[in-house]
Amino acid sequence: MEDKELLNKIKDRKLKLTIIGSGYVGLPTAALFAEAGFNVTAVDLKPEIIESVNNGLTPIDEPGLQELISSNVKTGRLKAVLNSDKHLKQKDVVIVTVQTPINKDKKPDLTFLLKAVTTIGKNLRKDTIVTICSTIPPKTTQEKIKPLLESLSGLKADVDFYLAYVPERIAPGKTLKEFTESTRLVGGIGKNSANFVSHLFSTVCKKIVETDALTAEIAKVAENTFRDVNIAFANELALICEQNGADVTEVISLANTHPRVNIHLSGPGVGGPCLTKDPYLLIDQIDCKNNSIITTARCINDSMPNHIIDLTKSALQYTKKDVETAKIAVLGTAYKADVDDSRNSASEKTIQGLLALGFKVFSYDPFCSETFGAKKASSLQEVVHEADCLIILTDHSEFKKIDLSKIKPLMNNNPSIVDGKRIITPHVAEEKGFSYFGVGYPALTV
Ligand code: SAJ
């Protein structure tokens, strides 16, 4: 096909798209391309996702997504199908968004990705545009995906078909806005691939920057690793402040008045599917693991749930409560504010550690049904009922509005708060009759 012909097909929305993987990234991708006017098929392994989408209902809680799915399913531009390769034969564009987890040895597990690429390779036609949006270790596009597609299809990348790595940068809760408004990197395997994929993505994204696949791969994991390292620094600072008797919230906020300083927030640990994994993708093939700021940061962030457990023990000791009988109320199992995702949440290790110590643990989350083994409460009032200690692990909007005067009478005498997210003002908690313990706050001592 002439360059112009393919560009015109993109402009006129004449290409048929398949999105492989219809989760937190794939489904918004499918819905936005359908909204832009393309005919889109969303593929997934889970029948419940397929059924939900085809009924016009979003299976994930994401602002704006419900409207996009229902209207585009109604017009017929969006449909979902169970994993199968037969429909791939008629597609002009395939976008891969399957998960790329790490295994127990912290090594990338590319099984889902390579399976999807194999299916694509077997069905590849001339002029197909293949786009990888899954997060991958450096060199994967050039050294694994490209040869696999070429050998299975007998076609040549950047000549007969086009291949680019286009990392996603969306944050749950703001997915649609960030998808369309954040700068999108297009890492082409060659000039033609970068050009066609840029034009394709410019139908849904406002800003595109073209680069090569390797640079885009490293840039993607570097972004999340930077954030993880920055948060680890904030967490170490929190421990330093606690021991010195200072408040880390004030320290960070004052340090950040410097024009070239931007320290992130300390907390109960880093959760979610990205920051906990991408640093390991970045250093996968690199020989620096015993002396690496990146792995040290991971260890610091992973140690924070244990620090929350230590703060809880101090709070119970300070308020003279007995481990045998103490009841703990945990607020939040989602990995961050106002999302329904509990993957790798700091609450998991914290709750399981508390249960192992013999505490009675109850949890409440307005977005997530996950409890990690704690007893489930379905409201704030229920979770604090006769509790001795309230632990805050997620900064959901509902929790930021807590009225401590209303909570206090529901709890046992002499209650304490362990504020992992620093959303309660310490002196207000103390005025209302709570003993306050917070990450990075001077600890009360007996
Ligand atoms: N957190 C802190 N302190 C902070 C900020 C976050 O402790 O100052 C914690 C959060 O509570 C949460 C974890 O870090 O447990 C991760 O939250 P997040 O908001 O930093 O990141 P994600 O995983 O929701 O999304 C990240 C984003 N990357 C960056 O901001 C560099 C997003 O843009 C990416 O698209 C996403 O990873 C991804 O899919 O890679």
Side-chain angles (χ1 to χ4, degrees), residues 149-375:
L149 291 174
E150 288 186 330
S151 66
L152 288 167
S153 67
L155 298 171
K156 196 159 171 34
D158 211 47
V159 177
D160 300 320
F161 72 93
Y162 308 103
L163 172 63
Y165 176 60
V166 184
E168 59 83 14
R169 293 169 136 179
I170 49 181
K174 299 185 204 146
T175 293
L176 300 183
K177 188 173 172 359
E178 295 207 341
F179 195 110
T180 48
E181 290 180 13
S182 301
T183 301
R184 199 77 196 239
L185 306 182
V186 171
I189 207 79
K191 265 182 151 171
N192 294 327
S193 301
N195 182 33
F196 291 130
V197 176
S198 292
H199 275 84
L200 177 68
F201 272 76
S202 64
T203 62
V204 282
C205 304
K206 285 187 187 153
K207 287 173 269 170
I208 306 274
V209 176
E210 283 181 31
T211 181
D212 59 88
L214 175 65
T215 307
E217 287 166 342
I218 299 183
K220 164 65 195 178
V221 280
E223 290 160 16
N224 282 349
T225 304
F226 165 76
R227 195 156 166 83
D228 194 50
V229 170
N230 191 326
I231 298 167
F233 176 67
N235 282 332
E236 186 167 353
L237 212 47
L239 304 183
I240 292 169
C241 284
E242 272 176 44
Q243 289 180 37
N244 278 302
D247 181 350
V248 76
T249 309
E250 204 182 341
V251 167
I252 290 178
S253 132
L254 292 181
N256 284 351
T257 61
H258 186 290
R260 284 174 296 282
V261 174
N262 174 24
I263 307 170
H264 291 1
L265 299 174
S266 49
V270 164
C274 308
L275 269 58
T276 51
K277 168 198 65 152
D278 293 357
Y280 294 116
L281 300 191
L282 178 57
I283 57 169
D284 178 44
Q285 300 294 328
I286 302 302
D287 186 19
C288 67
K289 289 169 199 165
N290 294 328
N291 192 16
S292 155
I293 191 172
I294 295 170
T295 46
T296 305
R298 282 277 70 245
C299 291
I300 293 173
N301 290 335
D302 278 348
S303 73
M304 292 311 285
N306 275 336
H307 184 60
I308 297 287
I309 294 171
D310 287 344
L311 286 177
T312 308
K313 287 196 249 173
S314 303
L316 291 170
Q317 200 185 2
Y318 185 80
T319 52
K320 302 198 169 42
K321 302 287 172 122
D322 188 0
V323 176
E324 306 288 308
T325 53
K327 179 186 161 186
I328 313 279
V330 169
L331 294 192
T333 53
Y335 84 89
K336 69 177 198 177
D338 301 337
V339 301
D340 65 354
D341 190 343
S342 60
R343 285 177 289 173
N344 304 322
S345 164
S347 310
E348 179 170 10
K349 271 199 201 156
T350 311
I351 291 175
Q352 287 171 357
L354 290 167
L355 288 169
L357 288 171
F359 292 109
K360 287 202 275 299
V361 188
F362 290 70
S363 74
Y364 167 60
D365 192 300
F367 292 87
C368 266
S369 56
E370 180 60 74
T371 67
F372 298 120
K375 291 223 166 67

Side-chain angles (χ1 to χ4, degrees), residues 88-108:
L88 275 175
K89 284 201 165 65
Q90 297 96 41
K91 298 300 169 182
D92 308 300
V93 177
V94 187
I95 298 178
V96 181
T97 67
V98 297
Q99 69 267 46
T100 45
I102 46 171
N103 64 22
K104 60 175 174 24
D105 301 320
K106 316 283 186 205
K107 304 290 290 173

